[in-house]
Amino acid sequence: MILRCRPEFVEEIWGDESLGKLYGVDGEIGEVWLCSGHPERKTMILDDKGERFGWEDILKIWKFDRFPFLIKHIKTKEWLSVQVHPDDDAAKKIGEPWGKPEMWYFVKGGTLVNGLKKGALEKLKNGDRQWDSLLNFANVKSGEGMFINPGTVHAIGPEIELYEFQMTSDVTYRFYDWNRGRKTHFDEAMACAKEITAEPFVFNKLETSHFKVELLNNVTFADPKSVYLSLNSVFGNKNFKVPTAYISNDGGDFLSNGMTFKMTLP
């Protein structure tokens, strides 16, 4: 059975009205949660007749207490916070099933924060807050990917658009928020942060210990226990010409025209 996810829309102070307009929604939308079984923000699941399908039934099929994959569409007009995510061990200490590894596919590139410079953690411990001298900045291009290991300090920059593929977690510790007045989590961030960076690469496939993502073209059959992100799909005799996520429980016929991402367990 193939099931369609109805997206959830999240307004952010760094959001971009044009992202919402793509989906026919008003507001400064920063994130579109295309597929999410997160307890605090679940996408509605529909079959090919438009009938709702329960998340509890999906979890029984996949044999998880929480659906593992979360896919977002993100577009920015300002910097996101300088932040870091916990690894599996740190996440489990606060009751999460896993950490927050994530992969980005860039629809539109730009400048972002990519890790701490060597020696930055010691400087931060000693009170240094000159962020421009502590952070690595990198330029990324459309069509590139990046894998953000937990512990990598990062921030998406202005005018960037991307698809994010991650384990289902929303644990984020802000180091710095560009003096916008939002809460930061310095001690928690320091406990998770490592002096590591991510390497941009031309994306076709990524395999990690948590998930696998690959780029396909013109899909006509969905494999079991997979999630697909299609930019132009036909489902239930309807054409969806915006990014749409589908959950394939046991496989079946599925029509996605052009660029399609497939996310599976490793």
Side-chain angles (χ1 to χ4, degrees), residues 50-169:
E51 300 294 327
R52 292 188 65 168
F53 193 91
W55 272 108
E56 64 278 5
D57 296 319
I58 293 174
L59 295 178
K60 288 177 184 177
I61 295 168
W62 283 65
K63 295 181 171 56
F64 280 93
D65 293 328
R66 178 187 292 185
F67 192 71
F69 302 146
L70 174 57
I71 301 176
K72 300 178 184 178
H73 187 180
I74 295 173
K75 191 172 184 181
T76 68
K77 68 177 182 182
E78 299 178 9
W79 280 99
L80 274 69
S81 62
V82 178
Q83 59 188 246
V84 66
H85 306 304
D87 61 18
D88 289 354
D89 291 339
K92 287 175 181 177
K93 290 177 181 178
I94 58 171
E96 289 287 301
W98 41 60
K100 194 174 185 287
E102 53 194 29
M103 192 212 88
W104 297 334
Y105 174 85
F106 295 99
V107 178
K108 181 182 177 185
T111 302
L112 47 73
V113 171
N114 180 14
L116 294 171
K117 290 184 177 179
K118 186 176 181 180
L121 284 174
E122 188 63 29
K123 290 180 180 179
L124 286 166
K125 288 178 185 177
N126 294 330
D128 190 340
R129 300 295 184 269
Q130 299 299 315
W131 291 101
D132 283 351
S133 66
L134 297 169
L135 300 170
N136 283 310
F137 292 86
N139 294 317
V140 293
K141 302 175 183 177
S142 172
E144 289 187 325
M146 287 180 73
F147 177 62
I148 311 299
N149 256 312
T152 308
V153 175
H154 59 279
I156 302 169
E159 309 299 327
I160 288 178
E161 182 178 0
L162 60 86
Y163 302 123
E164 181 176 84
F165 302 84
Q166 61 164 90
M167 297 301 287
T168 299
S169 170

Side-chain angles (χ1 to χ4, degrees), residues 227-240:
V227 178
Y228 290 82
L229 172 59
S230 173
L231 308 189
N232 182 358
S233 54
V234 177
F235 185 73
N237 296 319
K238 294 182 180 179
N239 193 190
F240 295 90

Side-chain angles (χ1 to χ4, degrees), residues 12 18 29 44 68 98 101 113 115 156 163 179 189 193 208 214 223 247-249:
E12 299 283 3
S18 67
I29 304 300
M44 185 183 296
W98 41 60
V113 171
I156 302 169
Y163 302 123
N179 300 314
T208 76
E214 57 185 314
D223 293 328
I247 297 173
S248 171
N249 290 327

